[in-house]
Every structure is written in structure tokens, then in C-alpha cells.
């Protein structure tokens, strides 16, 4: 018998395979109520990010078909190698105009945008100051950059300023970057953007904001929190996504022309990936028109969110500091959040439980994600069900 076929080489117990950790880790997750499984949406949608219901809007669907008929199915390559259609540039100009900025650059998703931009802007020796509750794609982008990360307490400007003051850059060429979500994806609260602009200027830092959950929902023309607070021109870059309120797919960053040029040359997730296909681009163009032309959708959405929060809070339910269409229902343990989600499913509602590691331990919750196209009556019944489960002591 050769040593290669010996079952117990290097002291490994014979029954262990190199993959045995897979089964062990899955079992550990299940034991801690932390296991996640894919579920097809069923029932009234209170969990997707299709906030304005645009994924089924006739104009968006028409835009998709028209683009496919004109340009075909795939883009054919990366932007720098044959995949740069006139439609990409038209979409970028449209998005830059929506956001009141000089330029825009498309990415294939928000995840790829954050990872590509952060790793292009920062490197070893640089500093990135990041809100503790920023989206995972921001965290991963900073890790990839190898910059030093300072994770400041959630929306705590004193903590951020303390870090900026205590840790001057080691060399004159070292860069500093502050990065934040504008609407936080799991808490539904809003970053203090004016203060962030002030601190960025004061301490010589670039400022990057992620408007994934704000675009289409906040601001007079739906351009996001930067627009609502009048600071669009004061942030270095603003990322937006097209798979949430726009109802389609993809992402973009708005910035000045020089920064766009820099990213085309340095953001690896942009350079080395096939560009978005015509169908997606046609859908985005139409969605921007709907966002500009039908402001009543976002007004209705935010009114509903305010009403839902009020009712839940009156019943004694903690909705944190939500000010948006994302309303957390804080329940504590993983098992309780799961039970609530099941209880709502029995009544015909799709509301997902969110557990660690997505949220901190002890803050497992339902993530109520409101949607302008859900019937008023259904929403009322969903809120009643949550309050009933809460009062029954589930
Ligand atoms: N940023 C934030 C704040 C998000 O919530 C998300 C998606 N949940 C992303 C980025 C990633 O966007 P995408 O889904 O387009 O990859």
C-alpha cells in the first residue's frame, strides 16, 4: 500500500475527509438558528427592495424589450474591449444628470461597485473611516484595498472625529477616505450627511456615500439623501444601485470626470468583467424616467412607512431609528425572529427574519421592507399580524 492510499496519513482520523468542515459548520449554524436557506418569494411582498414596484412597471418592461430589439442580447465584452455600446454612455449621462453630477460610471452590481471603487481609491498606508453598520460590500472593498480601517460607531460623529484626530496620516501622500451608507440597509436610518461633509473637509478626507436604498426614494427628484440635504456636489463619489427602487439590476457611481477616468483605469471589477447587457440598460433608462415623472410613488411609500412605524411604536415595538421605507422590528433572538417570519407567512406575507452575522447578536429582527405597490389593506393586515404576534408573546 502506498502512503497515498493509506487512510490515516499524518494522523488524520480515518473518517475525516478534507470537506468534513462543511457538514460540521452547517450543523453548528442549524443548532444556533443561524442557518439560511433560499426561499422563493411567496405571498404579499414585504421583503424585496423593489420599493416603487418598478420591476413590473410597463414602461420599464417596454424599455427592456426595445433595447434588446435594437442592440441584441449580450454586450459582447468588457467596456474596454468591445463591450462599450452607445447605450452604456447614454445611461451614464442620464444617471449623472439625475444625480446632478458631471459624470457617472456603470458597474455590474453594487457589490462590484463598492469592491472595485474602494480598492482603487485606497491602498496600503491609506486610511478608511467606515460606519460600523456599512454594507458588507463596503467592508469587503476596504479589506481588498489593504488600507487601515477605522470602523466608527454607527452614525457617531464624535467617534469619527476622534479617530480622524488621533490618527494623522503617516506621510503627506497617504490618502484618507470616509465611507457611509446613506440609508442603512438593516436599520433603515439615515447617515448625518451634512456632518460627514463637514468632517471630510476639515480633516482632508474624500467622502464616498452609498445611496443604494435612497435612490428613487428620497430627494425632490428621487436622487437620494445627498439631494435631499443639498450636498450632492460635496461628496467625492456617490454609489447608486439599479436593482432596488429602479427595479432592474446593476449599479453606478457619480463623481467628476477625472475620477471617472481614474476608475476606468484602476477599478478592477470594472476593467475585468463583461459589461451590462442592453436589456438592463434599456430598463434603467426607462426607470429613471418613471422616477422623475411619478414622484407620487415615493411620496406614498414614505407616508406609509411613517404610518407603519407609528403603529408599531404605539404597540411598544422597537423600530430603532428608522426614517425610511426599511422598518426593522427588533425581536432579539434568532428563534423569535424566525417564528415571527413563519407567523406572517401563515397569514400570506413574505417578511424575512434577519439574524447575525448580518446584524449584531441580540438584535435579530424582521426587516419590513415597504413597497409602494402593496395594497393599503394588505399592509394594514400585516401590521396587525405583527402586533398580534407581539402581544401573544411569540
Ligand atoms: N450597498 C448597499 C447599501 C446594499 O444594501 C447593497 C445590496 N443589498 C449593495 C450595496 C449591493 O448592491 P447589489 O445588490 O447591486 O450588488
Amino acid at each position: 500500500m502506498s502512503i497515498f492510499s493509506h487512510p490515516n496519513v499524518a494522523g488524520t482520523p480515518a473518517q475525516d475527509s478534507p470537506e468534513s468542515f462543511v457538514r460540521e459548520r452547517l450543523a453548528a449554524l442549524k443548532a444556533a438558528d443561524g442557518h439560511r436557506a433560499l426561499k422563493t418569494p411567496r405571498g404579499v411582498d414585504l421583503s424585496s427592495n423593489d420599493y416603487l414596484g418598478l420591476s413590473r412597471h410597463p414602461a420599464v418592461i417596454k424599455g427592456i424589450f426595445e433595447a434588446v430589439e435594437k442592440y441584441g442580447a449580450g454586450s459582447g465584452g468588457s467596456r474596454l474591449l468591445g463591450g462599450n455600446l452607445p447605450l452604456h454612455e447614454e445611461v451614464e449621462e442620464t444617471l449623472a444628470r439625475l444625480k446632478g453630477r458631471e459624470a457617472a460610471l456603470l458597474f455590474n452590481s453594487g457589490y462590484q461597485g463598492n469592491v472595485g471603487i474602494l480598492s482603487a481609491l485606497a491602498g496600503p498606508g491609506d486610511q478608511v473611516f467606515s460606519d460600523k453598520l456599512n454594507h458588507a460590500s463596503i467592508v469587503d472593498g476596504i479589506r481588498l484595498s489593504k488600507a487601515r480601517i477605522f470602523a466608527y460607531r454607527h452614525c457617531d460623529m464624535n467617534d469619527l472625529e476622534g479617530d480622524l484626530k488621533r490618527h494623522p496620516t503617516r506621510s503627506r501622500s497617504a490618502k484618507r477616505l470616509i465611507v457611509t451608507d446613506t440609508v442603512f440597509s438593516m436599520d433603515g436610518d439615515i447617515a448625518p450627511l451634512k456632518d460627514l461633509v463637514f468632517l471630510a473637509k476639515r480633516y482632508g478626507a474624500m467622502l464616498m456615500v452609498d445611496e443604494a436604498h435612497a435612490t428613487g426614494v428620497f430627494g425632490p427628484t428621487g436622487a437620494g439623501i445627498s439631494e435631499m440635504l443639498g450636498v450632492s456636489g460635496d461628496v467625492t463619489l456617490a454609489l447608486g444601485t439599479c436593482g432596488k427602487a429602479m427595479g432592474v439590476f446593476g449599479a453606478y457611481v457619480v463623481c467628476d470626470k477625472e475620477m471617472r477616468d481614474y476608475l476606468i483605469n484602476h477599478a478592477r471589477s470594472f476593467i475585468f468583467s463583461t459589461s451590462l447587457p442592453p436589456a438592463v440598460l434599456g430598463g434603467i433608462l426607462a426607470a429613471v424616467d418613471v422616477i422623475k415623472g411619478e414622484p407620487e410613488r415615493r411620496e406614498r411609500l414614505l407616508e406609509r412607512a411613517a404610518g407603519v412605524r407609528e403603529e408599531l411604536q404605539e404597540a411598544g415595538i422597537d423600530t430603532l431609528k428608522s426614517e425610511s421605507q426599511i422598518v426593522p422590528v427588533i425581536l432579539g433572538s434568532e428563534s423569535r425572529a424566525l417564528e415571527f417570519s413563519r407567523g406572517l407567512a401563515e397569514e400570506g406575507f413574505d417578511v424575512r427574519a434577519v439574524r447575525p452575522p448580518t446584524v449584531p447578536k441580540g438584535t435579530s429582527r424582521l426587516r419590513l421592507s415597504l413597497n409602494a405597490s402593496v395594497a393599503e389593506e394588505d399592509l394594514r393586515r400585516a401590521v396587525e399580524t405583527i402586533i398580534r404576534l407581539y402581544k401573544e408573546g411569540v
Side-chain angles (χ1 to χ4, degrees):
M1 190 193 255
S2 90
I3 66 158
F4 297 110
S5 56
H6 194 284
N8 201 10
V9 174
T12 314
Q15 70 274 26
D16 273 6
S17 69
E19 300 84 14
S20 54
F21 74 94
V22 172
R23 190 171 307 150
E24 283 156 21
R25 292 213 190 151
L26 285 171
L29 278 176
K30 284 178 185 162
D33 280 326
H35 180 258
R36 306 189 235 200
L38 298 174
K39 265 202 307 195
T40 314
R42 195 171 285 160
V44 176
D45 171 25
L46 289 169
S47 76
S48 83
N49 300 321
D50 185 15
Y51 302 125
L52 304 176
L54 296 203
S55 75
R56 288 171 185 273
H57 194 292
V60 175
I61 292 167
K62 184 161 170 258
I64 289 172
F65 278 107
E66 283 177 359
V68 173
E69 274 162 14
K70 195 161 169 197
Y71 294 99
S75 71
S78 66
R79 294 283 294 279
L80 289 165
L81 285 180
N84 186 41
L85 306 174
L87 205 47
H88 286 104
E89 306 213 6
E90 188 185 340
V91 169
E92 286 172 343
E93 280 158 24
T94 303
L95 290 167
R97 261 197 313 277
L98 170 74
K99 296 274 179 166
R101 293 299 300 261
E102 221 176 73
L105 186 67
L106 284 163
F107 282 84
N108 288 355
S109 70
Y111 188 95
Q112 291 192 40
N114 277 331
V115 166
I117 294 163
L118 286 158
S119 58
L121 290 180
D126 294 334
Q127 299 175 324
V128 182
F129 301 83
S130 172
D131 188 291
K132 272 201 172 145
L133 294 193
N134 276 344
H135 190 256
S137 54
I138 294 179
V139 176
D140 291 359
I142 303 169
R143 285 185 185 150
L144 190 62
S145 79
K146 299 199 173 74
R148 184 160 176 209
I149 180 166
F150 298 89
Y152 60 89
R153 279 197 294 274
H154 179 50
C155 288
D156 184 335
M157 296 299 97
N158 290 328
D159 198 33
L160 170 59
E161 184 162 22
D163 280 345
L164 285 160
K165 255 192 213 157
R166 268 194 310 277
H167 303 282
T169 48
R170 295 220 176 96
S171 74
R172 286 200 62 211
S173 62
K175 295 178 246 95
R176 313 182 103 183
L177 168 68
I178 301 172
V179 58
T180 184
D181 287 8
T182 57
V183 170
F184 286 86
S185 54
M186 295 299 142
D187 285 26
D189 54 351
I190 296 175
L193 218 44
K194 284 191 170 169
D195 297 339
L196 284 158
V197 166
F198 173 80
L199 289 179
K201 285 197 175 136
R202 181 168 202 178
Y203 291 94
M206 297 178 277
L207 176 60
M208 173 171 173
V209 299
D210 179 340
E211 299 256 38
H213 297 277
T215 305
V217 178
F218 288 93
T221 68
I225 299 293
S226 312
E227 183 194 33
M228 184 176 93
L229 298 178
V231 296
S232 301
D234 296 314
V235 301
T236 315
L237 327 100
L239 180 113
T241 58
C242 311
K244 297 183 168 67
M246 286 192 190
V248 191
F249 181 70
Y252 57 94
V253 65
V254 292
C255 50
D256 65 27
K257 281 188 180 153
E258 210 168 36
M259 180 62 84
R260 177 178 185 268
D261 192 17
Y262 178 86
L263 292 174
I264 290 172
N265 285 279
H266 287 88
R268 292 168 64 84
S269 63
F270 173 86
I271 299 169
F272 296 106
S273 198
T274 300
S275 62
L276 288 175
V280 167
L281 301 171
I284 297 171
L285 273 185
V288 172
D289 276 346
V290 177
I291 284 171
K292 285 184 166 168
E294 300 182 17
E296 61 280 7
R297 284 179 183 263
R298 58 180 165 275
E299 287 157 12
R300 183 162 74 231
L301 178 66
L302 292 177
E303 266 169 35
R304 283 177 167 193
V308 166
R309 274 196 302 272
E310 202 178 304
E311 279 185 59
L312 293 173
Q313 285 164 7
E314 265 173 26
I317 296 173
D318 183 5
T319 59
L320 299 177
K321 291 185 177 150
S322 163
E323 291 182 75
S324 69
Q325 73 283 11
I326 300 165
V327 182
V329 173
I330 301 299
L331 296 165
S333 72
E334 288 88 328
S335 58
R336 192 171 179 217
L338 288 172
E339 248 182 274
F340 263 71
S341 179
R342 277 194 291 267
L344 280 151
E346 279 165 21
E347 298 291 330
F349 298 107
D350 184 356
V351 188
R352 302 294 164 100
V354 183
R355 296 162 282 166
T358 308
V359 293
K361 188 102 190 124
T363 71
S364 285
R365 64 194 70 182
L366 291 178
R367 177 182 182 268
L368 258 185
S369 182
L370 303 187
N371 177 328
S373 58
V374 165
E376 198 79 46
E377 166 61 18
D378 282 337
L379 187 57
R380 199 180 50 73
R381 247 180 4 93
V383 172
E384 277 171 14
T385 306
I386 293 171
I387 294 175
R388 175 175 60 74
L389 292 170
Y390 192 80
K391 293 204 164 141
E392 282 171 0
V394 167

